[in-house]
Amino acid sequence: MLKSDKKPKVTIYHLAQELGLAPSSVSKALNDLPSISQRIKDMVSSKARELNYVHNSSAANLRRGSSRTIGVVVPKLDTTFFSDVVSGIEEVCSKHKYNVIICQSEERLQREIEAVENLISQNVDCIIISLSVQTSTVEHLQRIRDLGVNLIQFDRVNEDVKSHYNLTDNKDAAYNAVRHLISNGYSNIALLGGPNHLANYRDRKTGYLQAMEEAELSVPYNYVTEEVLSLERSMDVASNLLNSKNPPDAFFAVSDYAALGAMKAAESLGLKVPDQLGIVGFSNEEFTSLITPSITSIDQNSKQLGAEAARTYFDEIVGKPVTDNYSTSFTRSSLIVRSSSTRTVHAPHDVMTTVI
């Protein structure tokens, strides 16, 4: 019979013997417990690397009653907004030595439900979620709470499910964006809105309407549209409005992809942006500064928003008694003024930031 070349697995007891320490002390050092000095922790860490010891963190976490893992569900990762949010979450979790599992719903409710079930099965300590555009039911969110898993909602939330919320100041951001358009001489401003069942899009619509009302500007019924988030859908809606008897002279879009769709619709009709049509988007996606004319947009400070969501877990949940009192935090936005909304001759092409 051939002999196996596989070396015996190094254990805590091997480390303890090599270092002349008690196995319990080695275990505490590997688990970074405060009762062990940093000198001992460094000694154990160095010897573990030397002997190729692999720490079984899953078993250690099971003994603690915590997986030290956060689950994150986002609609998509191929947008600047959500990738920056995830970056902020990971940065904070890394400092606390927590792992992060990231799932994408691809804007589909069924994928979101499956992602939630997957994270629950992996015993995550908390799920941080931004809902898909299809999500109008709450059963899967309520299941998270019923199973005792911590829940934090950010950006796109359902207020029917009680949890901690981390939000953008959507109403104020939209209000200031529309006021900016008005100050540049636009008056027939249409809204390229989102699904009304999600609170963030309702708030952006409210901010738009408030700015129009305060300026005593009329809002024809067909100027307020919903479910306009994609480039293709926006091109269709914007083209129809621009070809109507009372065409708008500006669009406030609740997504940058909708703003880009409006720009392409204008281009196809021979309209010049910003001279004949003003456009403002939302989220400050990377492409908004790269195209010509560049698109004015609202920067949601997405990395900070993600970091705040993660900090909510560590500051409001970890080590605290279970309670029905939940926090709501708002991350302030910035209006990034670019060429698409400035009619004046001296309008800058590049970024000028106005803090909202």
Side-chain angles (χ1 to χ4, degrees):
M1 182 180 293
L2 294 174
K3 293 183 178 180
S4 173
D5 291 332
K6 187 175 180 181
K7 295 180 180 180
K9 184 176 180 180
V10 177
T11 69
I12 283 179
Y13 298 99
H14 292 114
L15 294 179
Q17 185 176 14
E18 287 283 330
L19 293 167
L21 297 172
S24 60
S25 297
V26 173
S27 176
K28 291 175 182 178
L30 290 169
N31 288 301
D32 198 26
L33 297 183
S35 58
I36 299 296
S37 71
Q38 189 60 49
R39 184 181 68 84
I40 297 297
K41 290 177 183 178
D42 292 341
M43 285 173 52
V44 171
S45 177
S46 176
K47 182 59 68 173
R49 286 194 299 272
E50 178 188 331
L51 299 180
N52 292 322
Y53 169 79
V54 179
H55 182 46
N56 189 340
S57 57
S58 296
N61 290 335
L62 186 62
R63 289 191 294 272
R64 290 194 194 104
S66 166
S67 67
R68 298 184 71 85
T69 302
I70 302 293
V72 179
V73 184
V74 295
K76 288 187 175 183
L77 279 172
D78 61 354
T79 66
T80 305
F81 174 72
F82 283 115
S83 63
D84 283 352
V85 166
V86 169
S87 177
I89 291 172
E90 287 188 313
E91 190 173 286
V92 172
C93 288
S94 177
K95 291 178 181 177
H96 289 269
K97 298 186 177 180
Y98 268 63
N99 298 313
V100 178
I101 300 175
I102 304 163
C103 303
Q104 298 181 78
S105 68
E106 298 291 346
E107 298 287 18
R108 301 203 300 272
L109 173 59
Q110 186 57 41
R111 283 287 296 271
E112 183 175 290
I113 293 171
E114 291 168 0
V116 165
E117 289 298 324
N118 179 41
L119 292 173
I120 290 172
S121 70
Q122 296 192 55
N123 298 312
V124 297
D125 294 328
C126 178
I127 294 177
I128 301 176
I129 188 169
S130 184
L131 305 180
S132 79
V133 294
Q134 290 186 352
T135 304
S136 57
T137 60
V138 300
E139 286 82 2
H140 62 302
L141 301 178
Q142 191 59 52
R143 175 170 161 77
I144 297 172
R145 298 196 64 229
D146 292 344
L147 291 172
V149 179
N150 296 297
L151 174 64
I152 297 171
Q153 299 183 66
F154 76 93
D155 188 51
R156 300 181 188 173
V157 307
N158 190 310
E159 295 168 326
D160 291 333
V161 178
K162 298 303 179 185
S163 71
H164 295 280
Y165 302 120
N166 293 92
L167 309 173
T168 299
D169 52 347
N170 288 289
K171 178 182 173 183
D172 290 345
Y175 172 86
N176 281 279
V178 176
R179 292 291 300 177
H180 162 73
L181 284 168
I182 294 169
S183 71
N184 276 271
Y186 302 102
S187 56
N188 299 318
I189 305 170
L191 170 71
L192 299 175
N196 208 45
H197 63 269
L198 292 174
N200 60 328
Y201 297 119
R202 289 199 305 271
D203 289 344
R204 293 173 197 180
K205 176 180 175 181
T206 299
Y208 157 81
L209 292 172
Q210 181 182 340
M212 296 293 283
E213 181 180 356
E214 287 184 7
E216 298 182 345
L217 296 175
S218 63
V219 180
Y221 76 93
N222 61 328
Y223 273 26
V224 180
T225 63
E226 297 180 0
E227 309 279 350
V228 188
L229 297 179
S230 69
L231 185 152
E232 295 78 10
R233 166 80 169 142
S234 175
M235 285 182 65
D236 289 340
V237 172
S239 294
N240 289 335
L241 284 170
L242 292 170
N243 281 313
S244 66
K245 292 181 179 179
N246 183 27
D249 63 2
F251 286 107
F252 168 57
V254 298
S255 91
D256 283 333
Y257 291 94
L260 182 59
M263 183 172 289
K264 287 187 173 294
E267 181 181 340
S268 69
L269 295 171
L271 296 175
K272 294 187 180 298
V273 176
D275 296 339
Q276 295 172 285
L277 184 72
I279 298 174
V280 174
F282 212 109
S283 286
N284 198 32
E285 291 293 322
E286 186 174 0
F287 68 80
T288 57
S289 65
L290 302 177
I291 62 174
T292 302
S294 54
I295 299 177
T296 295
S297 186
I298 294 166
D299 188 338
Q300 296 177 259
N301 295 310
S302 46
K303 186 172 183 179
Q304 180 184 341
L305 178 62
E308 286 297 327
R311 277 194 284 267
T312 295
Y313 174 71
F314 294 108
D315 295 346
E316 303 289 337
I317 297 175
V318 175
K320 303 290 177 63
V322 177
T323 176
D324 286 331
N325 296 321
Y326 300 103
S327 64
T328 299
S329 68
F330 291 90
T331 299
R332 291 171 67 82
S333 302
S334 303
L335 179 65
I336 310 299
V337 179
R338 300 191 179 99
S339 300
S340 69
S341 63
T342 49
R343 275 176 162 166
T344 52
V345 176
H346 62 274
H349 179 79
D350 290 320
V351 177
M352 177 181 71
T353 304
T354 302
V355 178
I356 296 173

